[in-house]
Each structure stands twice: as structure tokens, then as C-alpha cells.
């Protein structure tokens, strides 16, 4: 495993970085949904519309990071499996 990490430092570090960003994204998603509910209860339509538009953008960006996390983690696993097989 140590030799794999040394050979693929950039892939390994990128995978960890994207995983951390994705995990933090889930935390912020919970905060964003809480704010959205608070605004809806407060009946501020303008703020609600702005928050909904921001949420749509945010969820799209989060989806990209989650896709990258999935893709990179599978690539790390495949490269590790291939390097261990031989």
C-alpha cells in the first residue's frame, strides 16, 4: 500500500481532498435546508426565492463533487488492486 501511495500521490491526495469537500458539502446541505425552512416559516418570499435558486446551484455543484468522489475512489481501488495482483 505504501508503494502504491508513493507511485500515485496526486491521485490519492486528489481523492482525499474531493472526499473531504463532499463530506463538508453534506453538512452545509443540512444547514442550507434549515435556513430554507426558517425562511419559509417566516414567509419572506424574496429571500425564499433567492435561497431556492442558490440551493439549486449548490446541489448541482455538490452532485459534481459526489460524482468525482465516486469516480476517483473507484480509480484508486482499481489501481491498488491491479498493483497488488502482480
Amino acid at each position: 500500500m505504501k508503494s502504491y501511495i508513493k507511485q500515485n500521490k496526486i491521485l490519492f491526495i486528489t481523492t482525499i481532498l474531493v472526499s473531504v469537500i463532499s463530506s463538508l458539502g453534506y453538512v452545509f446541505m443540512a444547514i442550507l435546508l434549515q435556513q430554507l425552512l426558517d425562511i419559509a416559516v417566516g414567509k419572506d418570499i424574496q429571500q425564499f426565492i433567492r435561497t431556492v435558486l442558490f440551493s439549486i446551484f449548490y446541489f448541482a455543484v455538490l452532485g459534481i463533487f459526489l460524482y468525482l468522489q465516486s469516480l476517483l475512489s473507484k480509480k484508486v481501488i482499481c489501481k491498488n488492486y491491479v498493483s497488488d495482483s502482480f
Side-chain angles (χ1 to χ4, degrees), residues 1 8 17 25 32 37 45 47 54-55 58 60 63 67 70 84:
M1 182 71 177
N8 298 295
L17 181 65
L32 185 62
L37 284 173
I45 297 299
Q47 184 68 24
F54 176 76
S55 298
Y58 177 75
Y67 174 74
S70 175
D84 284 347

Side-chain angles (χ1 to χ4, degrees), residues 23-63:
S23 297
L24 291 174
Y26 279 123
V27 172
F28 186 69
M29 181 175 60
I31 294 169
L32 185 62
L33 290 174
Q34 177 195 6
Q35 288 179 349
L36 191 62
L37 284 173
D38 290 343
I39 292 168
V41 169
K43 298 178 183 171
D44 183 1
I45 297 299
Q46 295 297 330
Q47 184 68 24
F48 181 75
I49 291 171
R50 279 183 268 165
T51 306
V52 167
L53 292 175
F54 176 76
S55 298
I56 291 169
F57 172 75
Y58 177 75
F59 290 142
V61 171
L62 181 61

Side-chain angles (χ1 to χ4, degrees), residues 6 18 28 30 39 44 49 68 79 81:
K6 287 180 184 178
V18 170
F28 186 69
I39 292 168
D44 183 1
I49 291 171
L68 285 174
K79 284 194 172 211
Y81 177 75

